[in-house]
Amino acid sequence: MEKDWYKRMAFYQIWIRSFYDGNGDGIGDLYGVYEKLPYIKSLGVDGIWFSPLYPSPNADYGYDISDYKNIHPDYGDLEQFQKVLDKAHSLGLKVIMDLVVNHTSDEHPWFLESKKSRDNPYSDYYIWRDGKNGKLPNNWDSLFEGKAWEYCPERDQYYLHIFAKKQPDLNWQNPALRDEIYRMMSWWLNKGIDGFRMDVISLISKPDPIPRDTGSDLSPYCINGPQVHTYLKEMREKVLAKYDIMTVGECPGITVQEAQKYAGTDSGELNMVFQFEHTSLTDGKYGKWSADRTDLVKLKEVLNRWQNGLRETSWNCLFWGNHDQPRAVSKFGCDLPEYRVLSAKMLCACLYLMQGTPYIYQGEEIGMPNPHFTSLEQYRDIESICAYHDFVDSGVVEKRMMLTLLAHTSRDNARTPMQWNSRFCAGFSSAPPWISLGYSWRAVNVEQEEKDENSVLHFYRDILAFRKGNPLIRYGTFELLCADDPHIFAYVRTYQGKRLLVICNFSEKSQNAAAIYPNPEAIRFHNYPSITPAVLRPFELIAAL
Ligand code: TEU
Ligand code: CA
């Protein structure tokens, strides 16, 4: 068995609540997924990553887990999960599960026990600290909601929550907790799943003692904490090494050098990591809340550095979006009607002809745009709602402006129902959905794109088919061309005498590309019906062999 099968694969990410509702309650579920497996297979992907399916009070829609070994009743049950798994396998699709072990829900039985007293079997499962002269243990801000410490009267202590208050951080220093997690992972692997996507795995180790005098930013202390590699090596030895599986770690704030530690070919830890440098280039004055366009020169610099940095030593994840990011076509392309299809295809070729494993987020393959929500009531995401109140209630950002920022950046941009057809509720459900549909569903949906041979959907299938088993894509070198050009992203892949030239115009204006334009006969992928040698029209993409 080839150990690095993950290098040949492309994954499809399902955020189940908005994928397809199989039982008519307005919420996506595993009955719906079961029905859509042939569609997923038809894309040419090789596996599915499920965002959390577990029981959860949904403070953070599944990333606050109250039972690791079950399925949320909204989504089905373990029996239905097994049916989906078996059918996926029969279609040749791998299935990887989200592993969220930096924190649990505050409604998880471990936490309910832990908070009762300072001496019970679970008292040390979470990170409890005494206050400092009647104040919080330190000044850290949580990433979602207020300060990172929450007081618990039963213990007269504070617990740490990097994310929401309802997401207390687990204490990885406790060997009993680690063993419990390893047993849970084995339990899932023994059901036959093919691996894990590990949520914020770079945050699991905290400094001890936790420093008292800190600024408000916890990231220098908690990202790549002191024991994280020890824990991951232990996890590999005790669990992962016993199975033929793949693992991908989510590592916000990671550098190329650090990625090699987590997922170096011989690191003995993970197979690859998600880095977020290319999705965070617009972070500014208000953190991630910014309506700015990504600077293309910086984007190229970042992707070039990751392509070449991990070439021999690790492996890249290729993604434009996920359930935490706005829609790729709206963020990196242009979702105006005249440019949506062009720019969605351009983005597809630009990224997925690079080296690495593609992760395609549901709806991306039809070029779904942001929903352009206009009122706070339309949002469901805790991060967006808390940010709104942080900025607006304190007077830092004016209401209308904040709604504009959310419309560009909110995670809910990716969480509106998948658009299947132009009938009731975009074919997502027979009941009103749990979150509003995006405005675009009548024009942008799977049924319509199936019929149109020039659709984004068919283009994704072409690119994925071309990648399959293609050694040039898997092993070829990556050379960035015209690095300083502010509008054109161009690169060459080379392998054993074969060459692939990719040229993308990221702007709404025509650009001269005479210096790099290929022989028109060599063009293999193109997003316009005709060729204009030497000139690139708005969002034009050319890939030539
Ligand atoms: O996200 C990790 C993370 O760093 C987030 O703060 C992310 O940067 C932010 O959501 C972007 O807006 C993971 C999950 O993917 C996310 O859905 C969870 O909310 C979070 O962990 C906590 O589990
Ligand atoms: Ca349902």
Side-chain angles (χ1 to χ4, degrees):
M1 171 59 92
E2 191 195 10
K3 268 280 170 56
D4 56 357
W5 45 260
Y6 60 86
K7 293 188 178 175
R8 295 171 174 270
M9 301 187 56
F11 277 86
Y12 188 75
Q13 183 193 351
I14 293 186
W15 198 79
I16 193 164
R17 205 169 181 80
S18 291
F19 186 64
Y20 186 53
D21 176 14
N23 65 359
D25 62 357
I27 298 174
D29 51 45
L30 286 168
Y31 313 102
V33 172
Y34 187 85
E35 283 182 53
K36 294 297 183 187
L37 285 172
Y39 167 76
I40 296 169
K41 175 71 184 174
S42 82
L43 300 174
V45 297
D46 313 276
I48 296 169
W49 150 29
F50 278 114
S51 273
L53 303 174
Y54 319 99
S56 159
N58 282 338
D60 189 19
Y61 290 107
Y63 286 91
D64 51 321
I65 297 171
S66 52
D67 181 357
Y68 281 117
K69 295 196 202 166
N70 215 328
I71 297 292
H72 197 301
D74 282 352
Y75 308 143
D77 52 21
L78 283 167
E79 200 185 319
Q80 183 61 21
F81 175 78
Q82 196 67 49
K83 278 180 73 177
V84 169
L85 182 64
D86 293 344
K87 173 110 176 268
H89 283 164
S90 75
L91 293 169
L93 295 169
K94 305 261 187 199
V95 173
I96 68 171
M97 295 288 269
D98 223 304
L99 181 78
V100 188
V101 290
N102 175 68
H103 46 267
T104 66
S105 163
D106 66 342
E107 298 179 35
H108 192 291
W110 298 343
F111 189 77
L112 297 177
E113 287 304 310
S114 190
K115 72 176 205 184
K116 280 184 186 158
S117 66
R118 295 184 185 207
D119 48 9
N120 69 68
Y122 295 92
S123 57
D124 230 10
Y125 267 45
Y126 296 83
I127 301 175
W128 294 98
R129 291 293 185 275
D130 295 328
K132 184 175 81 174
N133 315 323
K135 287 194 292 205
L136 305 178
N138 69 23
N139 192 31
W140 287 345
D141 282 338
S142 112
L143 298 185
F144 282 177
E145 200 181 17
K147 287 287 161 193
W149 299 97
E150 188 68 13
Y151 184 69
C152 168
E154 291 97 319
R155 292 181 59 137
D156 186 26
Q157 276 186 317
Y158 294 82
Y159 67 85
L160 177 71
H161 63 94
I162 291 188
F163 295 94
K165 282 180 196 156
K166 286 184 69 64
Q167 293 169 295
D169 281 57
L170 287 164
N171 175 20
W172 274 73
Q173 280 189 306
N174 181 347
L177 175 269
R178 298 205 300 278
D179 278 336
E180 191 126 30
I181 286 175
Y182 301 152
R183 278 199 296 279
M184 175 272 284
M185 292 172 69
S186 305
W187 186 85
W188 280 104
L189 290 165
N190 292 339
K191 289 192 175 298
I193 66 162
D194 304 290
F196 293 107
R197 174 270 190 187
M198 302 186 183
D199 192 61
V200 287
I201 201 69
S202 53
L203 299 185
I204 59 174
S205 168
K206 279 77 177 179
D208 187 31
I210 287 186
R212 292 259 175 190
D213 295 307
T214 64
S216 58
D217 183 6
L218 54 75
S219 31
Y221 303 96
C222 298
I223 293 188
N224 311 318
Q227 303 296 322
V228 66
H229 296 291
T230 315
Y231 299 151
L232 288 177
K233 289 197 166 74
E234 179 184 83
M235 180 193 283
R236 167 149 295 274
E237 186 190 309
K238 295 204 169 168
V239 186
L240 306 175
K242 300 180 181 159
Y243 301 85
D244 179 29
I245 54 168
M246 64 84 84
T247 52
V248 46
E250 189 209 24
C251 297
I254 202 178
T255 63
V256 169
Q257 286 68 34
E258 287 153 358
Q260 284 159 346
K261 291 194 197 154
Y262 285 94
T265 314
D266 308 312
S267 72
E269 297 182 27
L270 308 175
N271 294 128
M272 57 186 132
V273 295
F274 285 114
Q275 58 84 18
F276 294 89
E277 238 189 303
H278 66 297
T279 62
S280 322
L281 291 170
T282 49
D283 290 6
K285 187 155 73 158
Y286 306 125
K288 61 163 273 185
W289 312 96
S290 154
D292 297 342
R293 282 200 70 74
T294 300
D295 178 298
L296 186 69
V297 174
K298 283 193 208 148
L299 180 70
K300 291 190 287 188
E301 186 277 317
V302 168
L303 289 173
N304 182 34
R305 180 152 41 76
W306 281 91
Q307 281 291 299
N308 282 302
L310 298 191
R311 253 194 75 68
E312 307 289 345
T313 50
S314 180
W315 193 250
N316 271 293
C317 292
L318 305 176
F319 74 103
W320 284 129
N322 61 30
H323 63 296
D324 294 333
Q325 304 288 330
R327 289 289 177 178
V329 69
S330 302
K331 176 166 174 155
F332 296 100
C334 176
D335 62 18
L336 293 174
E338 61 270 44
Y339 297 136
R340 188 188 63 81
V341 171
L342 287 170
S343 64
K345 290 179 181 175
M346 181 208 74
L347 291 169
C348 171
C350 181
L351 191 65
Y352 302 136
L353 294 174
M354 293 184 192
Q355 183 182 52
T357 298
Y359 289 84
I360 293 159
Y361 181 68
Q362 67 189 38
E364 177 191 327
E365 78 280 16
I366 55 169
M368 260 175 80
N370 286 346
H372 301 293
F373 283 166
T374 50
S375 82
L376 186 63
E377 289 64 48
Q378 290 170 296
Y379 289 94
R380 298 285 176 276
D381 165 35
I382 184 168
E383 186 193 35
S384 308
I385 296 169
C386 289
Y388 179 93
H389 290 298
D390 275 358
F391 288 122
V392 173
D393 299 353
S394 61
V396 172
V397 180
E398 186 262 331
K399 252 187 198 169
R400 291 271 297 281
M401 181 61 186
M402 192 62 206
L403 287 171
T404 303
L405 298 182
L406 287 183
H408 277 88
T409 51
S410 168
R411 308 197 294 181
D412 280 340
N413 284 309
R415 298 178 179 187
T416 62
M418 177 75 183
Q419 296 168 188
W420 294 102
N421 60 44
S422 55
R423 293 184 293 281
F424 179 79
C425 199
F428 163 73
S429 175
S430 54
W434 71 280
I435 186 172
S436 312
L437 285 176
Y439 72 94
S440 63
W441 61 278
R442 282 194 183 80
V444 183
N445 60 67
V446 172
E447 192 177 273
Q448 186 276 329
E449 298 207 12
E450 289 284 8
K451 285 188 281 202
D452 174 5
E453 59 173 24
N454 293 315
S455 63
V456 178
L457 177 60
H458 285 293
F459 192 85
Y460 266 77
R461 289 192 175 125
D462 284 353
I463 291 280
L464 288 168
F466 177 79
R467 287 183 58 96
K468 211 157 241 167
N470 187 334
L472 172 69
I473 298 296
R474 204 165 353 126
Y475 302 119
T477 55
F478 179 93
E479 186 198 346
L480 186 67
L481 306 178
C482 34
D484 298 327
D485 189 295
H487 306 298
I488 298 176
F489 195 151
Y491 62 86
V492 182
R493 306 282 320 267
T494 314
Y495 183 68
Q496 294 187 342
K498 289 216 172 65
R499 210 170 162 266
L500 175 70
L501 169 68
V502 180
I503 309 178
C504 304
N505 178 5
F506 270 69
S507 86
E508 291 167 31
K509 296 213 173 83
S510 288
Q511 306 293 332
N512 183 322
I516 48 173
Y517 208 93
N519 173 357
E521 276 165 24
I523 295 179
R524 171 70 177 79
F525 291 102
H526 194 196
N527 58 354
Y528 274 83
S530 64
I531 286 167
T532 50
V535 173
L536 295 173
R537 287 156 288 183
F539 300 107
E540 185 160 358
L541 156 274
I542 285 172
L545 289 165

